[in-house]
Amino acid sequence: MTMEELYAIAQRELAKDLVFEIEEEPVTVSIRGVLLARTDSKGYNFSFFELSENEFVLAVQMKGFVVYLGMEADEEIDEDAYPELVKILLGQLTPAIALLITRAEKEYPGRADLLMDDEMGPDLKEFFYGLLVKHRQGKPIYEQTEVA
């Protein structure tokens, strides 16, 4: 699978604005960035990172890959609404993420690539390019700052 084909899937399936209701208020979430990276784990998992009041990243891991989705909301989302937000996002985006990973699983030779960078803000851009470098160098993406 060429990078152009993966890029086309990301643009067609994930370059969108999602409009839904959280706590009875309409919210628009725009997907600004997509990063595909290989991982050693074949398990299924997800993580949610808040970067600013209205910028966050949803990472979905499956089949030896992780897809990072950089998103921007049109307004600040209260932390209490994050579980509901993540549930809605996973429900709507998992089929597109699974399609991207299924295609990458067959022929993608790379370690990590940025598939979409659509007007990302500075915090998102810094986060994504930091992830890209860490994945390409094979470094851990999570830094433990305290003894567990």
Side-chain angles (χ1 to χ4, degrees):
M1 167 120 332
T2 67
M3 282 307 300
E4 291 79 19
E5 291 171 311
L6 292 175
Y7 176 80
I9 291 170
Q11 288 294 318
R12 183 179 66 242
E13 302 291 332
L14 296 168
K16 57 175 86 177
D17 293 336
L18 305 167
V19 181
F20 42 84
E21 202 171 281
I22 295 180
E23 297 179 344
E24 300 179 15
E25 293 291 324
V27 176
T28 302
V29 175
S30 302
I31 299 175
R32 301 286 186 204
V34 177
L35 175 72
L36 173 70
R38 287 190 182 276
T39 183
D40 294 333
S41 174
K42 299 286 184 191
Y44 294 81
N45 204 348
F46 71 90
S47 298
F48 185 80
F49 306 93
E50 177 187 25
L51 302 181
S52 68
E53 293 108 11
N54 67 333
E55 292 178 319
F56 45 91
V57 174
L58 177 64
V60 178
Q61 176 185 313
M62 62 177 73
K63 297 181 177 182
F65 286 92
V66 61
V67 173
Y68 298 92
L69 302 172
M71 299 181 213
E72 183 179 288
D74 62 345
E75 60 184 58
E76 183 178 342
I77 298 176
D78 186 43
E79 270 186 45
D80 296 337
Y82 286 167
E84 183 181 353
L85 173 65
V86 170
K87 181 180 176 182
I88 292 168
L89 291 171
L90 286 172
Q92 290 188 11
L93 298 174
T94 299
I97 294 167
L99 172 65
L100 181 66
I101 289 173
T102 299
R103 297 280 173 86
E105 186 179 31
K106 293 178 183 174
E107 297 180 39
Y108 174 66
R111 182 105 186 114
D113 279 289
L114 190 62
L115 300 180
M116 190 173 82
D117 175 353
D118 187 16
E119 300 175 21
M120 284 195 283
D123 291 337
L124 268 176
K125 196 171 285 245
E126 180 181 345
F127 186 81
F128 264 64
Y129 283 98
L131 282 174
L132 181 63
V133 168
K134 285 180 180 180
H135 274 291
R136 284 190 173 172
Q137 294 176 345
K139 293 182 178 178
I141 56 163
Y142 298 107
E143 296 177 19
Q144 186 164 345
T145 57
E146 295 179 22
V147 176

